[in-house]
Amino acid sequence: MPSIARQVRDYIAGRPSITDAIKMGIVNDSALARLVSKELGIRKYDAVLAACRRFPVEKMKGYREDAVKRMLKKSRIETRTKIATITVVQGVDVLQRLGDVVEELLDENKICRLIQVSQGTVIIVDEGSVPRVTRKLREGQVISVGRDLVEITATSPESVEETPGLLAFLSGALASRGINIVQAMSCYTDTIFILEKEDMTGAIEVLTQSMR
């Protein structure tokens, strides 16, 4: 069985919110030790407290918040409404059937993003394009369709690819306001969030504040 010190290190290292607070010097070691003792079922409180105080936060690799904020000040926000997601089953046949309609949508300069996941593909399109996509597929190939969504994109300079943590920072900011992220991705200069329409105003406020 791992030592108490190892269990405590693994527990803290697996919780970014706690490691961030430790880095900022705002954690009460005694309160943290009580939490860890309870969560891990360890009765030796003094040993847990000692491990918390010795946690090697300076060795933890992670993003630098100041670097992320500097990048965000150079970024801009764009929004799209009436977005839909179509989740389809995995398979070469599905992708072949989608080929023509994807090409048509891109030629018409309409939004069309394909995200392959472990058990299928998520297609992000304008709501008006949903019938064009679903008509290309056979019965049973469409898992679900989500409508009345919005897309919020933070577009940054190309150097964002060398700035770790931007997606994590923005996701955390949205989560802290209770905003659920339907889909999220970070590609090249864009950090993209798909959200429910009712969360649009709050999300824009959060992201705008993050960029100041």
Side-chain angles (χ1 to χ4, degrees), residues 42-75:
I42 300 174
R43 295 183 179 182
K44 296 181 179 180
Y45 170 79
D46 289 342
V48 173
L49 177 59
C52 289
R53 287 173 173 168
R54 292 197 299 267
F55 181 76
V57 66
E58 68 282 352
K59 295 182 180 179
M60 289 292 295
K61 293 183 178 180
Y63 68 82
R64 290 173 49 202
E65 188 171 308
D66 57 341
V68 170
K69 287 187 174 181
R70 284 198 302 270
M71 179 58 63
L72 286 172
K73 288 182 179 179
K74 302 175 186 177
S75 305

Side-chain angles (χ1 to χ4, degrees), residues 111-205:
I111 181 174
C112 184
R113 311 186 198 280
L114 275 70
I115 309 168
Q116 284 193 283
V117 294
S118 61
Q119 299 185 37
T121 300
V122 178
I123 309 156
I124 300 170
V125 294
D126 296 307
E127 280 193 359
S129 301
V130 171
R132 294 174 63 179
V133 175
T134 55
R135 277 199 302 266
K136 292 287 185 177
L137 300 170
R138 295 185 303 185
E139 184 178 354
Q141 290 183 324
V142 177
I143 297 173
S144 64
V145 177
R147 292 183 171 85
D148 213 15
L149 304 172
V150 297
E151 179 181 281
I152 301 180
T153 302
T155 301
S156 308
E158 291 184 0
S159 56
V160 69
E161 293 188 299
E162 301 172 1
T163 306
L166 190 140
L167 177 60
F169 181 85
L170 294 181
S171 298
L174 292 171
S176 69
R177 289 282 293 272
I179 296 173
N180 179 54
I181 299 171
V182 178
Q183 304 286 345
M185 67 201 85
S186 181
C187 305
Y188 190 35
T189 59
D190 293 353
T191 304
I192 303 169
F193 297 100
I194 306 295
L195 311 169
E196 301 287 350
K197 185 176 69 174
E198 57 265 28
D199 289 326
M200 180 177 179
T201 300
I204 292 174
E205 290 177 358

Side-chain angles (χ1 to χ4, degrees), residues 23-39:
K23 289 176 184 178
M24 291 186 285
I26 58 174
V27 169
N28 181 295
D29 291 333
S30 297
L32 176 59
R34 286 193 294 272
L35 172 66
V36 176
S37 296
K38 180 180 178 181
E39 290 284 322

